[in-house]
């Protein structure tokens, strides 16, 4: 995966940025999900990903509609509500050459799909998992979701009397090896995190606050554009340096720099802002997210990374050739071998 210069008409595999587009959007004007789709297009183009090797997975909801709006030449399946992780697990197990992108929402992940989400993370399936989090069920007219704030009032759904689920905290506790949070209104940061997620081996979760301009963009909503812009606190400035590419940089600002090497040899370079924060420190990530529960903080960036965890494919010792490409004689025992096994139980 390699980058291109902004002035190039095509990337390193000869594709233009338009080759990464999808169908025309039917989302509401200003929807954060559409901003995220544009960031995915830009990241895939700059990394020169082959669209025909990408598989998109989604469930049900506004977020799960959005894969139609990017990477139109890729494989895609829109499954049952909350069941996207099972589809992604199966597909990436039989064909580990796929670049898998799961797109879900706060309802699809945090409510009906929470169990599937947790087990996907426990297995560390090799995929990028995007949560387009707007705090409401937009397709069913704006009821508050499991990530809505305590005491939040919706236009039609009344007052929320239950505490929210923090999907980043759930991901870290479940053993996810890459957890980040971003904001649809901050495309530069989101694109850098997305590039790093594509280079990570294992599940990379990006919880993206994505304002619903129709049902949840009002005063007081922590999922709104205004609140996000006023309260966003980046943990660090992030640079992504692709494999085998030298960076040209002139940065004289003070600040400690930490480099995290990805599985493919690329780097995430983090420059500290404000507080000392180590994204490889799991207890520190949990403390940070717990502290946010009582404050008015909205920290974004790379919250946690563990490059040492095996992915599901590594754990299961899958062979180099994807299972889907193996001939029948490699996938099943011969008649003689089966007869010998059955004879042991007769």
């Amino acid at each position: 995966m390699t980058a291109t210069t902004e002035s190039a008409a095509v990337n390193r595999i000869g594709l233009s940025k338009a080759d990464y587009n999808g169908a025309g959007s039917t989302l509401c004007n200003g929807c954060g999900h559409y901003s995220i789709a544009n960031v995915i297009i830009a990241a895939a183009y700059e990394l020169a990903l082959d669209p025909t090797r990408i598989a998109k997975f989604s469930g049900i909801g506004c977020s799960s509609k959005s894969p139609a709006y990017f990477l139109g030449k890729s494989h895609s399946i829109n499954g049952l509500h909350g069941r996207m992780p099972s589809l992604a697990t199966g597909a990436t197990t039989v064909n580990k050459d796929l670049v898998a992108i799961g797109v879900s929402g706060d309802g699809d992940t945090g409510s009906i799909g929470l169990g599937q989400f947790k087990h996907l993370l426990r297995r560390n399936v090799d995929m990028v998992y995007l949560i387009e989090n707007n705090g409401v069920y937009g397709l069913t007219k704006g009821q508050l979701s499991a990530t809505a704030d305590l005491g939040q009032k919706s236009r039609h759904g009344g007052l929320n009397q239950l505490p929210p689920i923090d999907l980043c905290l759930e991901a870290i506790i479940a053993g996810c090896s890459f957890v980040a949070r971003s904001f649809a209104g901050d495309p530069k940061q989101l694109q850098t995190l997305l590039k790093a997620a594509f280079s990570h081996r294992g599940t990379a979760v990006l919880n993206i606050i994505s304002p619903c301009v129709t049902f949840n963009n009002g005063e007081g909503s922590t999922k709104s554009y205004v609140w996000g812009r006023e309260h966003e606190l980046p943990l660090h400035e992030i640079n992504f340096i692709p494999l085998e590419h030298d960076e040209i940089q002139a940065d004289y600002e003070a600040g400690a720099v930490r480099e995290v090497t990805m599985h493919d040899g690329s780097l995430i370079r983090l420059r500290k802002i404000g507080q000392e924060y180590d994204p490889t420190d799991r207890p520190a990530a949990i403390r940070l997210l717990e502290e946010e529960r009582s404050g008015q903080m909205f920290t974004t960036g790379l919250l946690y990374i563990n490059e040492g965890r095996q992915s599901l494919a590594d754990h299961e010792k899958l062979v180099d050739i994807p299972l889907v490409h193996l001939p029948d004689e490699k996938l099943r025992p011969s008649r003689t071998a089966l007869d010998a096994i059955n004879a042991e139980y007769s």
Side-chain angles (χ1 to χ4, degrees):
M1 296 186 292
T2 51
T4 62
T5 62
E6 292 182 359
S7 60
V10 296
N11 61 17
R12 289 174 58 86
I13 60 173
L15 297 179
S16 69
K17 193 172 181 180
D19 291 320
Y20 292 85
N21 290 341
S25 174
T26 60
L27 297 169
C28 302
N29 291 331
C31 177
H33 297 358
Y34 190 59
S35 299
I36 296 169
N38 286 331
V39 170
I40 295 170
I41 291 168
Y45 168 72
E46 292 185 13
L47 289 172
L49 299 180
D50 181 355
T52 64
R53 285 188 53 232
I54 295 175
K56 302 176 293 184
F57 304 92
S58 61
I60 298 296
C62 290
S63 58
S64 294
K65 291 173 57 181
S66 65
Y69 312 137
F70 60 85
L71 305 179
K73 296 182 179 181
S74 301
H75 310 283
S76 183
I77 182 168
N78 184 230
L80 297 176
H81 202 3
R83 273 51 172 192
M84 178 269 285
S86 291
L87 298 172
T89 301
T92 56
T93 298
V94 299
N95 190 352
K96 66 177 188 174
D97 280 352
L98 291 174
V99 177
I101 305 174
V103 183
S104 189
D106 41 300
D108 195 55
T109 288
S111 293
I112 191 170
L114 185 60
Q116 294 245 338
F117 175 62
K118 297 283 276 191
H119 285 288
L120 177 93
L121 304 182
R122 186 171 68 91
R123 297 182 179 110
N124 205 23
V125 175
D126 193 9
M127 68 178 298
V128 175
Y129 192 114
L130 305 179
I131 305 169
E132 299 183 340
N133 186 352
N134 57 20
V136 296
Y137 300 135
L139 283 186
T140 51
K141 308 309 177 189
Q143 300 93 334
L144 294 170
S145 80
T147 65
D149 300 308
L150 181 65
Q152 184 176 339
K153 186 177 181 181
S154 71
R155 184 178 298 180
H156 303 299
L159 190 70
N160 179 38
Q161 301 182 37
L162 297 174
I165 290 177
D166 187 327
L167 293 173
C168 288
L169 188 58
E170 293 289 339
I172 293 172
I173 291 172
C176 185
S177 53
F178 182 113
V179 182
R181 182 196 280 150
S182 195
F183 177 44
D186 189 353
K188 181 180 178 181
Q189 182 200 62
L190 177 56
Q191 185 172 327
T192 304
L193 288 169
L194 186 57
K195 288 179 180 179
F198 277 125
S199 300
H200 179 72
R201 187 161 178 81
T203 309
V205 168
L206 274 71
N207 181 26
I208 309 164
I209 304 305
S210 179
C212 174
V213 293
T214 301
F215 296 110
N216 197 19
N217 197 37
E219 183 178 352
S221 170
T222 61
K223 308 296 188 296
S224 68
Y225 278 114
V226 172
W227 197 95
R229 292 192 185 101
E230 291 179 350
H231 292 82
E232 183 182 9
L233 178 64
L235 287 171
H236 29 235
E237 289 183 359
I238 309 171
N239 290 317
F240 176 76
I241 305 172
L243 178 64
E244 297 180 352
H245 275 253
D246 295 327
E247 180 193 30
I248 300 173
Q249 186 178 30
D251 185 0
Y252 300 99
E253 297 180 18
V257 176
R258 180 182 181 88
E259 291 186 345
V260 180
T261 303
M262 311 298 287
H263 284 104
D264 66 352
S266 56
L267 295 174
I268 311 174
R269 180 171 289 167
L270 309 171
R271 190 173 73 82
K272 300 288 177 61
I273 294 179
Q275 60 177 309
E276 291 296 314
Y277 185 79
D278 180 1
T280 65
D281 186 340
R282 187 169 181 263
I286 294 172
R287 284 196 302 271
L288 175 72
L289 293 171
E290 288 288 2
E291 289 169 1
E292 282 193 343
R293 289 178 181 269
S294 57
Q296 287 290 301
M297 292 186 295
F298 170 39
T299 50
T300 61
L302 181 62
L303 300 174
Y304 178 67
I305 187 167
N306 176 8
E307 288 291 276
R309 262 206 82 187
Q310 284 189 323
S311 69
L312 179 64
D314 295 330
H315 184 269
E316 296 299 321
K317 298 179 174 58
L318 294 182
V319 295
D320 292 337
I321 301 174
L323 302 183
V324 71
H325 297 315
L326 290 174
D328 286 348
E329 58 268 22
K330 295 287 187 180
L331 291 171
R332 61 184 65 178
S334 65
R335 172 56 62 185
T336 301
L338 274 177
D339 289 342
I341 293 171
N342 290 332
E344 296 177 3
Y345 297 96
S346 60

